Structure formats: structure tokens, C-alpha cells
């Protein structure tokens, strides 16, 4: 698998799907230029009916929860080998990218990163 969805992220996505009574929700993760380190992660909930068969790759959690993460090809190239996690901290809770093998450094809050020179 190119992307790993942790059990915390899977459980949180399952909770959101249940609360919204919508089993067709997925977490879209994209990378765009910006942030304090060059690239930034953007995450949003989407309906699976909006997935592009040509441009998107869908990852499903291995625990059978139905939790799905969607990425476009350019974002996947920068994120392959990463984990999607859900963190709960004093400042708030959020989905987060961890263990990105392409990142050489990241900001303190974890929303932006710089890539390793090839």
C-alpha cells in the first residue's frame, strides 16, 4: 500500500460518516505549493461521488471500517509511503500526515514541509 491509514484516522473517519449518516464520505488529501516550508497539506471531507476515476487514487483502511482517503496523482507522488493519522492535542485535534519519506523538514505544526533534493 502506498499510503497507510492509522487506526485512529480510520476510527475518526468512521465516526464522522456515522454522525453525518453518510457512508460515502472520504478524506481528500492534497499537496500544494505554499506554507512556511515550500509545500502544504490540505485536507477536506468529500463525497465519493466526486472522485475522478482518471485523476484520483482511493485508499481504504485495512480494518474494514470503510474509511477512505483520496489523493490526486501529483499529491500522491509527494506523499507515497506516508501515514494518515488523527491526533488529539491540547490545541485541537486534526488529521495529520506523518512519516512522509519525501519530506526533509516540516514546520512545527506539521502542515507544511520541504522535500528532499533528488
Amino acid at each position: 500500500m502506498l499510503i497507510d491509514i492509522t487506526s485512529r484516522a480510520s476510527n475518526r473517519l468512521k465516526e464522522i460518516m456515522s454522525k453525518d449518516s453518510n457512508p460515502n464520505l472520504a478524506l481528500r488529501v492534497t499537496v500544494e505549493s505554499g506554507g512556511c516550508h515550500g509545500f502544504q497539506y490540505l485536507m477536506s471531507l468529500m463525497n465519493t461521488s466526486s472522485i475522478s476515476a482518471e485523476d484520483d487514487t482511493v485508499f481504504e483502511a485495512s480494518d474494514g471500517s470503510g474509511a477512505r482517503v483520496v489523493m490526486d496523482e501529483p499529491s500522491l507522488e509527494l506523499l507515497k509511503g506516508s501515514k494518515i493519522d488523527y491526533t488529539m492535542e491540547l490545541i485541537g485535534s486534526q488529521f495529520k500526515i506523518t512519516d512522509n519519506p519525501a519530506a526533509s523538514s516540516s514546520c512545527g505544526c506539521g502542515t507544511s514541509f520541504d522535500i528532499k533534493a533528488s
Side-chain angles (χ1 to χ4, degrees):
M1 181 178 270
L2 297 175
I3 299 294
D4 186 32
I5 304 169
T6 67
S7 60
R8 284 188 300 219
S10 174
N11 288 335
R12 182 62 182 138
L13 281 168
K14 183 178 175 183
E15 288 171 7
I16 293 169
M17 289 186 292
S18 177
K19 182 181 173 191
D20 290 356
S21 300
N22 185 352
N24 299 317
L25 284 180
L27 180 68
R28 176 173 286 283
V29 179
T30 55
V31 175
E32 70 176 26
S33 183
C36 57
H37 273 71
F39 292 95
Q40 60 187 352
Y41 304 115
L42 299 175
M43 298 186 207
S44 61
L45 293 172
M46 65 173 293
N47 199 302
T48 54
S49 63
S50 303
I51 294 171
S52 166
E54 288 180 16
D55 301 325
D56 293 328
T57 301
V58 180
F59 299 93
E60 191 157 338
S62 59
D63 61 5
S65 66
R68 292 174 294 260
V69 173
V70 180
M71 292 184 191
D72 58 35
E73 191 60 36
S75 298
L76 181 56
E77 282 302 310
L78 293 169
L79 295 175
K80 59 185 169 187
S82 299
K83 291 181 184 175
I84 310 294
D85 198 7
Y86 185 75
T87 60
M88 294 172 281
E89 301 166 355
L90 289 175
I91 58 171
S93 42
Q94 65 182 344
F95 290 101
K96 198 171 198 173
I97 305 294
T98 61
D99 301 333
N100 182 351
S104 61
S105 63
S106 63
C107 66
C109 64
T111 60
S112 70
F113 66 101
D114 192 12
I115 59 171
K116 295 176 182 172
S118 33

